[in-house]
Amino acid sequence: TEEIVEDYAERVYRAIQRSGKSYEELSHEIGLSMNDLRAIAHGYREPTIKEARKLEKYFKITLIERAETEIEKKPSIPRDYEPTLGDIANIRIKKRKKK
């Protein structure tokens, strides 16, 4: 999955400052509205992935990072496992708590 970096606003704002262009000029060149560009640069709203790609391409900055999702693996029970009395008691207690 892809995520927007936490400091996106700071990166976009610095890129805008470096460009020396107005929000109006940039909005026409990038393809975002002036209000959207200003809101993203000042951190009022996070850009969508599509908007972030446009900004990355235009300013040559990084706004999207890959997020590694960890898949939780259920513990598996061996086939030759025989439960003890303690295991059975714990199972019954858990079943009671669910109700």
Side-chain angles (χ1 to χ4, degrees):
T1 59
E2 297 177 320
E3 290 182 350
I4 305 297
V5 293
E6 285 185 31
D7 63 336
Y8 68 89
E10 185 179 329
R11 293 180 188 198
V12 172
Y13 186 77
R14 280 191 308 213
I16 290 170
Q17 296 303 312
R18 278 194 308 266
S19 74
K21 297 181 180 180
S22 69
Y23 282 101
E24 188 175 2
E25 289 175 296
L26 291 170
S27 69
H28 290 295
E29 292 175 14
I30 297 170
L32 292 175
S33 75
M34 218 167 65
N35 290 334
D36 285 340
L37 188 59
R38 200 174 265 131
I40 292 167
H42 293 284
Y44 297 129
R45 92 171 173 80
E46 190 175 285
T48 63
I49 296 293
K50 188 176 180 180
E51 291 170 336
R53 282 206 175 94
K54 286 180 180 182
L55 292 165
E56 280 183 332
K57 188 175 180 181
Y58 184 82
F59 290 119
K60 294 177 179 42
I61 57 175
T62 305
L63 295 175
I64 300 172
E65 64 184 6
R66 286 188 133 325
E68 297 296 322
T69 55
E70 291 184 24
I71 300 170
E72 290 186 30
K73 189 177 177 184
K74 281 188 171 182
S76 59
I77 300 171
R79 288 182 182 265
D80 61 342
Y81 174 75
E82 290 186 32
T84 63
L85 286 174
D87 292 335
I88 294 169
N90 281 336
I91 291 168
R92 289 197 175 145
I93 289 171
K94 286 180 186 176
K95 282 185 179 177
R96 253 190 250 143
K97 286 182 180 178
K98 286 183 181 179
K99 292 181 181 180

